[in-house]
Amino acid sequence: MKLAIVGVTGLVGQEICRVIEEFNLSFDDLLPVASERSIGKTVELKGKKYSVIGLEEALQRKPDVAIFSAGGATSQEWAPRFAEAGTFVVDNSSAWRMDPTKKLVVPEINAKDLTADDRIIANPNCSTIQMVLAVSQLHRKFNIKRLVISTYQSITGTGVKAVDQYEAEQKGKLVDAPAYPHPIFDNCLPHCDVFLDNDYTKEEMKLVHETRKILGDDSIGITATAIRVPVHGGHSESINIEFEHPFDIEEVVTVLQNTEGVVVQDNPANGEYPMPLMAKGKNDVFVGRIRRDDSIENGLNLWVVADNLRKGAATNAVQIVQHLAKNILVAV
Ligand code: 2RA
């Protein structure tokens, strides 16, 4: 397999390289792709050095698979060109997620639906991935009626500029071009991304629309509040669920324990619960604080944490590539 990584120098691109090493993903050739200013730099992967190239050259070299983490505009322009040339594109941007002709994939939930015709595959938003994976099998068993989600999102979700702003403010300094309109060190911002006409943010509406698409159920009521917090390790989410059907907590725990990609950490009395500091660098989605919500019928509260650069982006994308390599590339 000839694999391209578009946006290889960014936070997610670098995490993709680490996940590829960790998973020992096999490939015949690697095309690290970045913007003009990075062309000629070298990337080392699995003991070999590769020279960073531009998009045009990468397209000419016809990779079998290309993982894009280079922003929506680049994906809008270049993903169709790579797909047209026969490449399977796994795109981390929001460009194709809600396109009705494109699949939005969390491998543990719906990779099985992929076919050789799916040449542009959308990686969901990080805060969607961890949430939808945690609730996916609960939905299948107890049928979710409504979700109320509060997220506490890492600054790494914004990118290098946000981490630079945090680290400067931590030293009492200011940065020339801050990532956020207010200080983030020792502060929380009551929004992630920009506000829309409905007074929700793009991030919050991604949780609404992407969840319904991945679970294949537009009837689920969903509302979300996405908060930016001065944390590096990952996104945390408080999820309140109203089910159609009654449940026992023991049943819920068993379903979560049997959900692929989910790890239950739920012994609060002994200080065992998910935390972003502990999730950093790991590939699983961690679930704890599992408890009934008696204020409504069939109500449940969960606390869900995952490394947003890992399962929220790089790991999910590499898992899609693994699925393609094992089930589809062999047949094309
Ligand atoms: C964020 N989910 O956390 C968005 C983009 N990665 O900012």
Side-chain angles (χ1 to χ4, degrees):
M1 171 175 67
K2 186 185 292 185
L3 174 65
I5 304 174
V6 179
V8 71
T9 58
L11 282 182
V12 173
Q14 288 296 293
E15 202 68 34
I16 287 168
C17 294
R18 282 189 279 274
V19 172
I20 286 171
E21 295 260 29
E22 189 178 305
F23 284 21
N24 193 24
L25 181 75
S26 62
F27 52 82
D28 305 310
D29 192 9
L30 183 86
L31 308 180
V33 186
S35 60
E36 293 297 316
R37 66 174 180 273
S38 297
I39 291 174
K41 288 181 183 174
T42 56
V43 167
E44 185 167 349
L45 210 54
K46 296 174 77 173
K48 193 175 171 187
K49 290 185 189 301
Y50 299 87
S51 184
V52 175
I53 60 176
L55 277 158
E56 199 58 64
E57 181 181 347
L59 181 62
Q60 299 311 320
R61 289 170 63 178
K62 294 184 182 297
D64 299 297
V65 178
I67 304 177
F68 272 58
S69 280
T74 300
S75 292
Q76 283 281 13
E77 178 185 354
W78 287 88
R81 296 179 63 184
F82 276 79
E84 189 62 37
T87 299
F88 286 89
V89 173
V90 179
D91 179 37
N92 265 298
S93 82
S94 57
W96 303 100
R97 290 176 184 156
M98 298 316 294
D99 182 313
T101 67
K102 304 295 182 287
K103 293 194 174 109
L104 186 59
V105 176
V106 178
E108 298 89 338
I109 300 173
N110 58 0
K112 63 186 180 304
D113 300 334
L114 288 171
T115 72
D117 295 332
D118 295 308
R119 293 293 167 140
I120 298 177
I121 301 161
N123 214 42
N125 191 38
C126 41
S127 44
T128 303
I129 291 173
Q130 66 185 73
M131 191 274 292
V132 76
L133 184 56
V135 307
S136 57
Q137 299 313 308
L138 295 174
H139 179 54
R140 186 190 295 265
K141 189 162 176 70
F142 305 112
N143 202 36
I144 295 173
K145 184 177 176 184
R146 182 175 184 245
L147 289 167
V148 180
I149 307 149
S150 297
T151 74
Y152 308 83
Q153 301 188 207
S154 165
I155 52 176
T156 59
T158 306
V160 176
K161 270 181 66 174
V163 177
D164 290 347
Q165 179 181 343
Y166 170 87
E167 290 175 352
E169 290 170 354
Q170 192 178 27
K171 298 170 191 151
K173 295 179 182 161
L174 297 175
V175 289
D176 296 335
Y180 303 118
H182 302 290
I184 187 60
F185 178 71
D186 205 19
N187 195 22
C188 291
L189 303 180
H191 69 97
C192 296
D193 209 332
V194 297
F195 286 96
L196 302 170
D197 293 343
N198 66 356
D199 293 330
Y200 284 79
T201 62
K202 273 189 175 179
E203 191 77 1
E204 289 156 355
M205 296 315 295
K206 287 174 186 175
L207 278 161
V208 175
H209 298 310
E210 292 179 21
T211 300
R212 289 173 176 158
K213 181 170 179 178
I214 295 164
L215 296 181
D217 188 342
D218 286 345
S219 74
I220 301 174
I222 304 175
T223 189
T225 303
I227 306 298
R228 188 71 65 191
V229 294
V231 162
H232 286 76
H235 292 348
S236 304
E237 299 177 345
S238 172
I239 303 171
N240 177 270
I241 310 174
E242 182 179 2
F243 292 108
E244 294 280 359
H245 308 307
F247 61 85
D248 296 322
I249 284 292
E250 295 72 24
E251 275 185 298
V252 166
V253 173
T254 301
V255 168
L256 288 167
Q257 286 170 333
N258 294 332
T259 301
E260 187 186 356
V262 168
V263 173
V264 173
Q265 292 176 329
D266 194 34
N267 190 343
N270 293 329
E272 186 190 342
Y273 33 69
M275 294 177 278
L277 189 62
M278 308 312 173
K280 184 173 171 57
K282 297 191 174 74
N283 300 302
D284 294 307
V285 172
F286 301 90
V287 182
R289 298 297 320 277
I290 305 163
R291 62 203 191 283
R292 187 178 290 279
D293 169 11
D294 287 322
S295 70
I296 53 173
E297 192 177 10
N298 306 322
L300 179 75
N301 283 315
L302 300 177
W303 176 251
V304 177
V305 176
D307 183 333
N308 54 293
L309 296 180
R310 284 271 172 143
K311 185 54 184 173
T315 303
N316 201 71
V318 171
Q319 288 170 333
I320 292 171
V321 175
Q322 283 181 313
H323 178 89
L324 291 172
K326 184 178 173 197
N327 300 284
I328 293 176
L329 284 179
V330 289
V332 295

